[in-house]
Structures are given as structure tokens and as C-alpha cells.
Amino acid sequence: MDDSSKQQPATEKVIKVMVDNIFRKNGVQPEELKKNISDEQRQMLKEMVQDLRQQVDQFNKAQKKVTDSEE
Amino acid sequence: MTVYRSANSTKERANYLYFNDDCNANKNDCLGSQNQEDNYNLLSNNDATIAQGDGEYSFLEQESAELIWVKESCNITVTSNDTQASVSLQAALQLAIAIVISITIADSDRSDHVSQELLQYTNTEQINRQKIYIYNTKDATVTTTDTDIAVNIQLLLQVLLTLVLLLDIL
């Protein structure tokens, strides 16, 4: 896991419970979902998530810079 | 000099910039654009990823407005971070969550419902309004930050990461 999720273990758990609950309520099995993704789609999604993660990291850094310079 | 800037995620992004020395006239201008924005929020929702017939829409309502007056002053530095970038990052994350769900859940009725619920929980309504008035001042530096949006982006990323971990994509 990356650093940002290490800082917020509580949030991570809350979200896990939330996602799990929503899946359960709608009768969705994660195991069944895995079969629906082709390798190509898996790769595409992986790249998309990594890209977004990078963007969020950059955004957080920029925010931090502003906050630091304020102090 | 007066600067008014506004960003909103639920409609076409528009910048309002006013440069006017007459404070009263400017106040009216700003109020006018504010009201317009409220109407847009309710009537049109260009960024919605899922729309359902039962009137439940999952979208993020967010508004940031800054009003900075600098009057009879010199050597003033104003730094305010651009909220546009963060708003679009937020929209991208929401879209990504919806994409992951719609790919993995073949049944479109069910996938709509799941992503709608996921985004509903992370749906926050927040309005940030800052007004800064600088009068009769020399050599001042002003920095403004919007922290609310940073929290929300972190939350959406967590939801996305949890999903992809659950589906063994990462």
C-alpha cells in the first residue's frame, strides 16, 4: 500500500466496509466479478488507476507546499 | 481592484472575473452570478455519470468562490490556488469508479445501482466562500487555500483503490 493509505488506516477500513456492504446488498460477488474482466481491460484499468493515483499524489504535494509556506 | 473567481463541478466551468473600482456595482454583479449558479445546480447536471429515473442523481455539488478586494494599497501579492484542477481531478476519480463498476458488473441495472450507491456515500455538498478585503495597506502577501476538496479527492481515491484491490486488478 502507498504512503497516503498508511496515514489513514481508519478511512481505509471504513471504505472497505462500505464497499463490501454495498456489494452484499446488491448481491454482487467479487469472485464472480473477476471473471468479467478480460486481461486487456485489466491492463487498461490498472493504468488508469495508477495514473489517477499519481495525479492525486501530485495534487497533495502541491497542496502541502501551499500550507507549508503559509506557516 | 476586485477579483471574483468561481468554480463549480456540476456545470460548465466558467470564470467570473471582474475588475471594477466601484464596490457597490461589483457587489451586485457578484450576487447576480451567484444566483445564476444556483439555478444551474438544480436544473442541469452535465457531469453526472449515472442518471436514474427515480430522481436520484449522484453528483458532487461543490462550489468555491473567492472575492478579493484590494483598495488604496500598493505592493500586494495575492496567491490563490486554482480550484479548477482539483475539481476535474475529482470528476475523473468519480468517473473511474463508475467505469470499474460498469465493466465488472455485466448486468447494467445492477451496475448502475452499485455505482450510484458508491458515489452517493462519497457525495459531499460543500460551499466555500472567501472574502478578503485589503484596504490602505502596503507590502502584504495573502495566500488562500481550499482544503475541503483535498479531503474529498483522498476519499474517492480510497474507494477506487479498494475496488481494484477487491477485483485483483492491481
Side-chain angles (χ1 to χ4, degrees):
Chain A
M1 274 272 119
D2 60 341
D3 286 328
S4 57
S5 51
K6 262 181 214 157
Q7 285 165 7
Q8 294 156 314
T11 325
E12 211 188 308
K13 264 191 197 127
V14 168
I15 288 167
K16 237 178 217 162
V17 172
M18 182 192 93
V19 172
D20 186 70
N21 179 40
I22 290 172
F23 275 6
R24 228 172 262 263
K25 250 170 58 182
N26 289 284
V28 176
Q29 301 287 331
E31 292 303 319
E32 172 199 322
L33 296 187
K34 283 177 199 167
K35 289 179 213 147
N36 286 336
I37 326 170
S38 67
D39 285 346
E40 203 182 311
Q41 279 175 324
R42 200 180 285 270
Q43 188 56 32
M44 256 160 56
L45 290 175
K46 197 174 164 177
E47 278 166 24
M48 179 187 79
V49 171
Q50 273 164 349
D51 184 50
L52 281 169
R53 204 161 155 181
Q54 221 175 344
Q55 281 187 42
V56 172
D57 276 352
Q58 263 167 12
F59 173 78
N60 282 340
K61 266 182 208 146
Q63 286 269 324
K64 208 168 174 289
K65 234 182 240 168
V66 176
T67 328
D68 285 349
S69 60
E70 263 176 358
E71 283 159 3
Chain B
M1 184 188 78
T2 312
V3 180
Y4 179 78
R5 198 185 69 192
S6 170
N8 198 305
S9 61
T10 58
K11 64 168 188 71
E12 288 282 304
R13 315 217 202 304
N15 269 335
Y16 298 97
L17 280 163
Y18 297 101
F19 295 96
N20 199 326
D21 282 320
D22 185 349
C23 289
N24 285 330
N26 205 283
K27 221 183 244 168
N28 289 336
D29 274 356
C30 295
L31 278 177
S33 65
Q34 208 84 61
N35 288 340
Q36 228 180 350
E37 245 173 68
D38 288 343
N39 286 337
Y40 268 118
N41 275 348
L42 292 171
L43 298 175
S44 69
N45 174 21
N46 296 334
D47 288 352
T49 50
I50 294 137
Q52 282 199 337
D54 59 6
E56 275 189 280
Y57 290 89
S58 45
F59 63 94
L60 196 102
E61 196 175 317
Q62 194 161 46
E63 189 186 316
S64 296
E66 269 172 16
L67 186 62
I68 302 165
W69 267 307
V70 183
K71 215 184 168 195
E72 286 169 40
S73 312
C74 72
N75 242 348
I76 308 290
T77 314
V78 178
T79 321
S80 85
N81 47 329
D82 190 6
T83 46
Q84 309 279 5
S86 42
V87 164
S88 65
L89 183 55
Q90 204 166 247
L93 284 166
Q94 284 181 306
L95 192 61
I97 292 170
I99 288 171
V100 170
I101 293 297
S102 86
I103 286 179
T104 49
I105 304 179
D107 177 358
S108 76
D109 264 4
R110 215 163 49 154
S111 88
D112 279 2
H113 203 244
V114 170
S115 44
Q116 197 225 310
E117 255 189 85
L118 276 173
L119 291 172
Q120 209 164 41
Y121 277 108
T122 49
N123 175 24
T124 54
E125 272 178 56
Q126 55 194 29
I127 295 173
N128 241 14
R129 287 205 183 101
Q130 295 174 335
K131 279 183 190 145
I132 297 163
Y133 186 64
I134 300 165
Y135 177 68
N136 207 6
T137 313
K138 191 176 171 276
D139 298 329
T141 309
V142 180
T143 314
T144 65
T145 336
D146 188 350
T147 46
D148 297 355
I149 203 158
V151 172
N152 212 35
I153 283 174
Q154 197 64 47
L155 191 68
L156 282 168
L157 181 70
Q158 288 291 335
V159 173
L160 185 61
L161 286 177
T162 310
L163 274 178
V164 292
L165 281 177
L166 205 67
L167 299 170
D168 273 351
I169 291 171
L170 275 192

